[in-house]
Amino acid sequence: MKSVEKTQKNLTIKQVALSARKEIKRRRRESEKIHIPNDIVEEIMVKLPVKSLMRFQTVSKHWRTLIRSRDFEERHMALEKSKGCKLLFVCDDDFKERMKDTLFLKTVTLEKTSASVGDEEALEFEGFKNFFEISESCDGLVCFYDIQKAVEVINPATTMFIELPLSRIQQLCIYNPNREVELELEPVQDPNPVPEPIRSFCQFGFGKDSVYGRYKLVWLYNTSPTTTPTCEVLDLEVKKWRFVNTTTLDHHKILFNERPVFANGSLYWLTGDEEGHPTTQTKLIVFDMHTEMFQVIPTPPFITREPSGGKIRICNLDGRLCISELKGDCKQEFWWRVEDNTWERIFSVDLHSTSTWFGGITSQPLTPLTISRVTNKVILSLRYQDNLVALDLDPNSSVFHLYFSGYYGLVCPYFPSFALSH
C-alpha cells in the first residue's frame, strides 16, 4: 500500500514539473511573439546618452549597425544640440599627484545657479610638455596640440581619437639645421619663406564643410611682413596637410595668438598689423570650408570706425558668429549675425560690474562661452582668469553672479556625440 502511495506521489511531482516546463515554454513562445518595431527601438535609443549607447553596441550586430550608422549619428547629434551645450573643462592641476602626461576632461551641465560637474575622463597624452592648445569643439570633437606635438582629434564622450601628421609649420618649428635632430624636413616647397617659424606659430581653426560634412583643420599663419600668410588644410578623411592659395589676402595678416572661430560653414580671423599685433585697421578674414577660398571683409558698422583689434572679440555663440567691442567707457556690446549682412544686438556688459570676479580687470574684453536655454543666462569668461560669470539676459535685469570658480586650464562649449565612431 505504501509503495503504491509513493509511486503516485512521484508521478504527481513529475506531472507538476512537466506541467511547469510546458507553461514556461508556452510563456516563452508568447513573449517571442511580442515584437517591438525597429523604428520604435530607434526612437528610444536616439534619446540615450553616448556612454549607454557605447555599451549597447555589444548587445547584437543589428544594434551595433544601427548605432554606428550615419543617419543615427546625425539624429542623435541634432537632439543633443537641441538640449543646449555643456562646457568642457581641461584640467591639469592633478599632474603632481598622478601621471605626468595626464589631462582631465570634465563636462559641466548648465544648471540654474551654478555649474554642475558631470562626467570626468582622464586621458593620457604622450609628449605634451605642460603647454598645449585646444581647438574649438565641432560636433563633439576637440583637438589638442602644441608647437612640437602632432594634433590629436579627440571625442571625449567615446574617448576615441586620431593622431594626425605634423603640419609644415610644426616641422619648421622643430627643425634646427645647427644641431642633430630626429626630424628631417619633408621635401616640400613652401609658398612663402618662413624666417622665424616660432613667431609664425599660432592657433588653427577646426570646422566642417557644410556641403559634404567633412571635418577640416585650417592652419593660417603669418610668415613675414612682406608676404601673404600661409595656409595649410587637412581633411580628416585624407589625413594629409596641403597648402591652399592665399593670394586674395593680399597684404593682410592675422591677429597673433587669437583662435579663429568657426560658424555657419566658415572660419573667421581678425586682422593685425605687419607683425600680427592689434591695429586700428581691423578687418575680418573669412575662409569658406567648402570652397576653400578666402575673402577679407570690413567689420560690421556698429564697430568703431578705426577699432583696435585688441578690443574686439569674435566667437561662436549658440551656433552663430558673435562679435563685440570693448569701448573707452568699459562697456562691451555683443552682437551676433542673423543673416549674411544682418546683425542683432544681444546684450551689453559694463566691465566695472564683472571686475570683482576677474581680478579687477576692465581693460580686456570678455568672451561669452554659451547661453543656457533653461535659465536664459550667458556665461562669460576672461582670458587667463579662472572664474566664469553668469549674466541674466532678461532686458529688465542686469544681475551678474559667480558661476564657476576654480582652476580649469582651458574651457570650450561642447556637446557629446558619436563623431569619429566610424
Side-chain angles (χ1 to χ4, degrees):
M1 188 68 180
K2 288 183 179 181
S3 177
V4 172
E5 290 178 354
K6 186 176 181 180
T7 301
Q8 290 177 340
K9 185 176 181 181
N10 289 337
L11 286 174
T12 302
I13 294 173
K14 289 180 180 179
Q15 289 171 347
V16 170
L18 180 62
S19 176
R21 284 196 294 271
K22 287 181 178 180
E23 180 64 17
I24 291 171
K25 289 180 180 179
R26 185 188 69 79
R27 292 186 179 184
R28 186 178 295 166
R29 286 195 299 270
E30 290 294 323
S31 66
E32 289 174 351
K33 292 179 183 179
I34 302 173
H35 174 70
I36 302 176
N38 289 337
D39 57 343
I40 294 179
V41 172
E42 185 172 345
E43 286 299 320
I44 295 171
M45 294 178 69
V46 79
K47 298 176 182 177
L48 298 176
V50 171
K51 286 195 172 182
S52 297
L53 292 172
M54 290 293 289
R55 293 196 300 270
F56 290 167
Q57 290 186 84
T58 61
V59 172
S60 69
K61 185 177 180 180
H62 171 70
W63 279 22
R64 177 180 173 81
T65 302
L66 169 64
I67 293 170
R68 293 173 68 92
S69 69
R70 182 75 66 181
D71 179 67
F72 184 88
E73 177 187 318
E74 291 176 353
R75 290 188 61 205
H76 187 273
M77 191 181 300
L79 186 60
E80 288 295 326
K81 286 182 178 179
S82 69
K83 298 176 184 177
C85 74
K86 303 174 186 290
L87 294 177
L88 177 69
F89 290 82
V90 184
C91 312
D92 62 357
D93 52 330
D94 289 323
F95 272 175
K96 293 182 179 179
E97 298 180 8
R98 307 192 193 185
M99 297 185 67
K100 181 180 179 181
D101 294 331
T102 303
L103 298 179
F104 299 90
L105 307 184
K106 298 178 182 179
T107 58
V108 169
T109 303
L110 306 181
E111 301 291 349
K112 291 184 178 181
T113 57
S114 62
S116 174
V117 178
D119 297 329
E120 178 177 347
E121 293 286 350
L123 299 182
E124 185 177 346
F125 298 86
E126 295 182 359
F128 283 95
K129 304 300 182 183
N130 298 324
F131 173 80
F132 62 93
E133 295 285 357
I134 180 175
S135 71
E136 285 189 306
S137 174
C138 180
D139 288 352
L141 302 177
V142 292
C143 305
F144 290 95
Y145 63 102
D146 68 24
I147 199 167
Q148 296 185 351
K149 181 70 174 65
V151 179
E152 292 187 7
V153 185
I154 300 169
N155 184 330
T158 64
T159 68
M160 299 183 72
F161 70 95
I162 297 174
E163 183 171 334
L164 303 177
L166 289 169
S167 66
R168 182 62 172 180
I169 186 62
Q170 287 178 302
Q171 293 180 44
L172 292 172
C173 287
I174 297 171
Y175 178 73
N176 186 337
N178 298 320
R179 61 184 174 85
E180 293 184 2
V181 291
E182 295 182 4
L183 177 73
E184 292 185 4
L185 282 179
E186 295 180 7
V188 175
Q189 180 62 48
D190 295 295
N192 300 304
V194 189
E196 298 182 80
I198 301 264
R199 293 189 62 183
S200 294
F201 187 83
C202 60
Q203 301 181 62
F204 66 75
F206 180 47
K208 184 178 181 180
D209 178 342
S210 57
V211 177
Y212 294 126
R214 298 167 76 124
Y215 299 104
K216 296 180 181 180
L217 285 69
V218 180
W219 219 319
L220 180 66
Y221 50 90
N222 300 328
T223 49
S224 71
T226 58
T227 59
T228 58
T230 296
C231 180
E232 300 181 54
V233 172
L234 181 142
D235 185 321
L236 271 191
E237 293 189 19
V238 180
K239 300 181 183 64
K240 185 175 181 179
W241 292 99
R242 54 189 167 79
F243 293 113
V244 169
N245 190 300
T246 60
T247 53
T248 54
L249 297 182
D250 193 18
H251 62 283
H252 294 98
K253 313 294 182 185
I254 63 168
L255 186 60
F256 181 74
N257 203 30
E258 291 290 327
R259 185 167 66 187
V261 173
F262 174 72
N264 306 118
S266 295
L267 279 168
Y268 298 83
W269 292 259
L270 293 173
T271 60
D273 65 12
E274 292 182 349
E275 300 294 333
H277 302 307
T279 174
T280 56
Q281 304 296 321
T282 304
K283 290 182 173 58
L284 284 170
I285 292 176
V286 186
F287 179 78
D288 187 304
M289 295 290 278
H290 174 59
T291 64
E292 297 190 353
M293 296 181 66
F294 284 98
Q295 61 175 318
V296 180
I297 61 175
T299 53
F302 51 82
I303 299 294
T304 304
R305 176 169 294 182
E306 294 186 352
S308 168
K311 300 297 182 181
I312 298 176
R313 281 287 180 271
I314 56 174
C315 68
N316 181 316
L317 185 61
D318 204 26
R320 300 178 182 178
L321 177 65
C322 174
I323 187 168
S324 63
E325 180 184 8
L326 176 59
K327 300 189 177 180
D329 57 0
C330 294
K331 291 183 179 179
Q332 186 176 355
E333 285 194 342
F334 296 82
W335 300 67
W336 63 16
R337 194 167 69 171
V338 182
E339 296 176 356
D340 285 346
N341 295 311
T342 306
W343 294 81
E344 179 183 51
R345 183 179 179 277
I346 323 171
F347 62 94
S348 66
V349 175
D350 185 336
L351 267 64
H352 290 113
S353 303
T354 60
S355 61
T356 302
W357 295 291
F358 293 130
I361 297 173
T362 59
S363 59
Q364 299 175 23
L366 304 177
T367 301
L369 294 175
T370 185
I371 294 176
S372 171
R373 298 178 185 177
V374 177
T375 63
N376 197 35
K377 296 181 188 299
V378 62
I379 311 304
L380 301 168
S381 66
L382 181 63
R383 185 179 297 173
Y384 308 126
Q385 297 293 311
D386 295 336
N387 294 334
L388 301 180
V389 171
L391 165 65
D392 192 337
L393 292 180
D394 186 331
N396 299 317
S397 173
S398 58
V399 177
F400 295 88
H401 70 265
L402 182 63
Y403 190 76
F404 178 87
S405 180
Y407 176 77
Y408 55 80
L410 300 168
V411 61
C412 69
Y414 157 86
F415 63 87
S417 78
F418 270 102
L420 277 194
S421 60
H422 300 286

